[in-house]
Amino acid sequence: MPNDPDTDYTFKLNTNNTMYDLCVVGAGLIGSAAARHASLQPNIRVCLIGPEEPKERRLESPREIFGAHYDEGRVTRCSDPDPVWATLAQNSINRYRELEATSGVTFYSETGCLMSGPPGGQFMTNTQETVTSQNIQHDYLTPELLRKRFPYLNLRDTDEAIFETKNAGYISPRGMIDAQKRVARDNGCDVINDVVCEISRNHDSGVRLMSVLTESGQKVEARRVLIATGSFTTFRKLLPPGREPDVTFCPLAVAKVEVSSEDVKRLGNMPSILYYGDGAPDWPEDYPRSPNRVIGIYVLPPIKYPDGKYYIKLGDFHDSVPQRLSSLEEVKAWYCTDGVTPLVTKSARLITALTKGIKPLSYHGDHCVITKTPTNRPYIDLVHPSLGVAIGGNGYAAKSSDEIGRIAAMLVLYGKWDSELPVEAFKLKLKDKPNSKL
């Protein structure tokens, strides 16, 4: 169901049947970025359609569409073992401050990103090769320097680290989307708070037009449409028959531990953290590990949330929850899962083990779903000349969303690939079907 119609971004279509050059479906991180970049183009009429964040998530609610961006913290950094993701991140991060200044919304905290693990391990070896080959500013920290620089972190005595000191830290997904929408709206983009249920291609006097129908009954006409609807892309009639993208829906859970103002001050220089290793000897033994007993986690420093409290967030990566989702009912149920589960409890215990001396005031969990592609890269492609997709974040897209949205908007508007990255890296792959071609 559509959200409260009285929200700030609600826009009711005029009765004059406005024709848009581009309609962006999906108002998350990628969709809002695409709408902003499209709105900056001269003589281009743009609309962005997507529901606002719900006030609550309940299984009993008629609401079915949710988003992974209902949060205040996502790790951002320039380095990545995959040069494609590294370039997307760098191009996006380079525009953060400009977007903040233009929108008046602060969403980026440059706290740095600490990547740690055992010396000689694959993670640290790959990280060192990445920051060196990509000329990323960093400090190498021996185990001794690591303990001296961040004395409150409880890591294994032999762990080393690479500290990405510039253009790294964390972003607020909520804040970034707000910034994108504000700038897009200031540039004439109509932002419509609704859920799209169907997209079709029609002909009017020999001209091909795209028709977008929303759950509230609004009909939007546009020359071109970009779909940026994440894990909900296949659960509405958005793509033509036989064009089902090859994606997997991975459920993820995180823990958020509330900390006192005293602990916030004591952890004042805490960066975002990525860790792959054995962990300290007193880390919870029952925390999920890979088959070779390695722990892989990301951690956000204390961040202030809308309830006025500060939380440290910890999450695992794609295999922390082995199940995969396949239906709208399963995806909705995961988003509406109660905040405390066994995995959340284990993650909260790991936060207290990792950050020495903190006194947790409370903890709870959160859940989201990421869209994983077989290429481990996003799909940015045309389904046909009037319809494009920008989906498949693989759990890495938040920091890179501005560049993903920009590339997608230019591709759908002009039919041209506007990136130094190879177009082949982003080709849409479909579910296996005989003679299935784009």
Side-chain angles (χ1 to χ4, degrees):
M1 295 292 292
N3 265 9
D4 182 356
D6 296 325
T7 54
D8 289 341
Y9 287 119
T10 297
F11 171 80
K12 293 297 183 181
L13 290 180
N14 296 325
T15 56
N16 61 357
N17 295 321
T18 301
M19 170 62 67
Y20 292 98
D21 296 291
L22 176 66
C23 175
V24 181
V25 177
L29 284 159
I30 293 174
S32 63
R36 177 177 77 91
H37 283 285
S39 74
L40 296 173
Q41 301 300 301
N43 304 314
I44 294 294
R45 189 75 191 274
V46 185
C47 74
L48 172 65
I49 308 178
E52 292 285 342
E53 179 177 349
K55 293 180 174 62
E56 59 179 354
R57 284 183 265 169
R58 295 185 299 110
L59 198 57
E60 301 79 14
S61 169
R63 168 97 177 216
E64 293 182 321
I65 305 299
F66 300 91
H69 51 268
Y70 307 154
D71 195 15
E72 294 297 330
R74 288 289 188 277
V75 175
T76 186
R77 69 191 193 282
C78 287
S79 63
D80 194 283
D82 183 343
V84 168
W85 277 111
T87 300
L88 291 172
Q90 291 163 21
N91 289 346
S92 292
I93 293 169
N94 287 339
R95 291 192 290 265
Y96 284 178
R97 294 305 188 198
E98 177 187 357
L99 177 56
E100 286 184 324
T102 306
S103 66
V105 178
T106 300
F107 60 83
Y108 173 39
S109 298
E110 195 176 13
T111 60
C113 185
L114 187 76
M115 292 155 284
S116 181
Q122 183 176 1
F123 175 63
M124 292 307 299
T125 299
N126 289 346
T127 300
Q128 183 62 67
E129 291 176 352
T130 298
V131 295
T132 301
S133 63
Q134 296 172 7
N135 296 315
I136 293 171
Q137 186 170 336
H138 68 281
D139 294 337
Y140 168 70
L141 303 179
T142 64
E144 295 76 17
L145 288 175
L146 177 58
R147 288 191 294 271
K148 183 177 180 180
R149 191 150 183 178
F150 302 105
Y152 48 78
L153 292 182
N154 176 33
L155 303 171
R156 188 169 287 270
D157 288 344
T158 54
D159 284 334
E160 62 181 9
I162 291 172
F163 183 35
E164 194 172 321
T165 54
K166 297 292 184 181
N167 297 322
Y170 65 90
I171 57 172
S172 163
R174 287 189 181 106
M176 191 171 191
I177 289 173
D178 185 24
Q180 300 280 21
K181 284 183 174 181
R182 285 173 184 262
V183 176
R185 189 173 53 176
D186 288 346
N187 283 286
C189 175
D190 292 327
V191 181
I192 304 171
N193 174 27
D194 209 336
V195 173
V196 172
C197 57
E198 185 174 356
I199 299 173
S200 58
R201 183 163 54 164
N202 304 314
H203 288 77
D204 185 3
S205 301
V207 179
R208 287 183 177 179
L209 301 176
M210 300 299 294
S211 180
V212 179
L213 182 65
T214 73
E215 286 187 351
S216 70
Q218 296 190 68
K219 183 178 180 181
V220 177
E221 290 188 333
R223 293 179 175 84
R224 296 172 179 81
V225 172
L226 171 64
I227 297 173
T229 45
S231 57
F232 292 91
T233 301
T234 61
F235 300 138
R236 292 291 189 271
K237 296 179 180 179
L238 306 184
L239 291 166
R243 295 295 189 265
E244 183 178 355
D246 186 2
V247 294
T248 302
F249 303 126
C250 304
L252 294 183
V254 300
K256 297 174 182 175
V257 169
E258 180 191 355
V259 294
S260 66
S261 57
E262 290 77 15
D263 280 335
V264 172
K265 292 178 182 177
R266 190 169 62 84
L267 303 176
N269 71 333
M270 183 174 174
S272 296
I273 299 170
L274 300 180
Y275 182 85
Y276 285 88
D278 302 321
D282 58 348
W283 282 15
E285 181 60 31
D286 61 350
Y287 191 80
R289 298 171 184 249
S290 68
N292 59 351
R293 303 296 296 162
V294 169
I295 290 178
I297 57 173
Y298 66 92
V299 185
L300 277 298
I303 297 173
K304 188 175 183 179
Y305 275 72
D307 62 3
K309 300 176 181 179
Y310 284 85
Y311 296 91
I312 298 174
K313 186 178 81 170
L314 181 146
D316 203 311
F317 291 95
H318 300 174
D319 295 326
S320 59
V321 179
Q323 74 190 86
R324 294 295 178 258
L325 309 177
S326 59
S327 69
L328 176 61
E329 292 74 20
E330 290 176 343
V331 172
K332 176 182 177 179
W334 184 258
Y335 269 105
C336 297
T337 298
D338 182 66
V340 176
T341 63
L343 177 57
V344 168
T345 299
K346 293 173 185 177
S347 297
R349 290 173 181 164
L350 182 51
I351 291 175
T352 61
L354 172 67
T355 49
K356 297 177 184 176
I358 68 166
K359 298 176 181 178
L361 303 179
S362 69
Y363 76 93
H364 68 274
D366 201 359
H367 297 78
C368 70
V369 178
I370 64 170
T371 307
K372 185 173 175 58
T373 68
T375 63
N376 206 38
R377 293 165 174 168
Y379 293 145
I380 309 174
D381 203 357
L382 294 176
V383 178
H384 56 67
S386 302
L387 180 65
V389 295
I391 59 174
N394 291 276
Y396 310 127
K399 65 182 181 299
S400 305
S401 57
D402 191 69
E403 179 68 355
I404 295 172
R406 186 196 67 79
I407 295 172
M410 298 305 102
L411 177 64
V412 178
L413 275 175
Y414 304 118
K416 295 181 180 179
W417 187 254
D418 184 23
S419 173
E420 68 269 40
L421 294 169
V423 63
E424 293 77 15
F426 304 93
K427 284 293 183 182
L428 173 65
K429 294 184 179 297
L430 303 177
K431 292 285 188 182
D432 287 335
K433 289 184 180 180
N435 301 319
S436 176
K437 296 181 179 179
L438 280 180

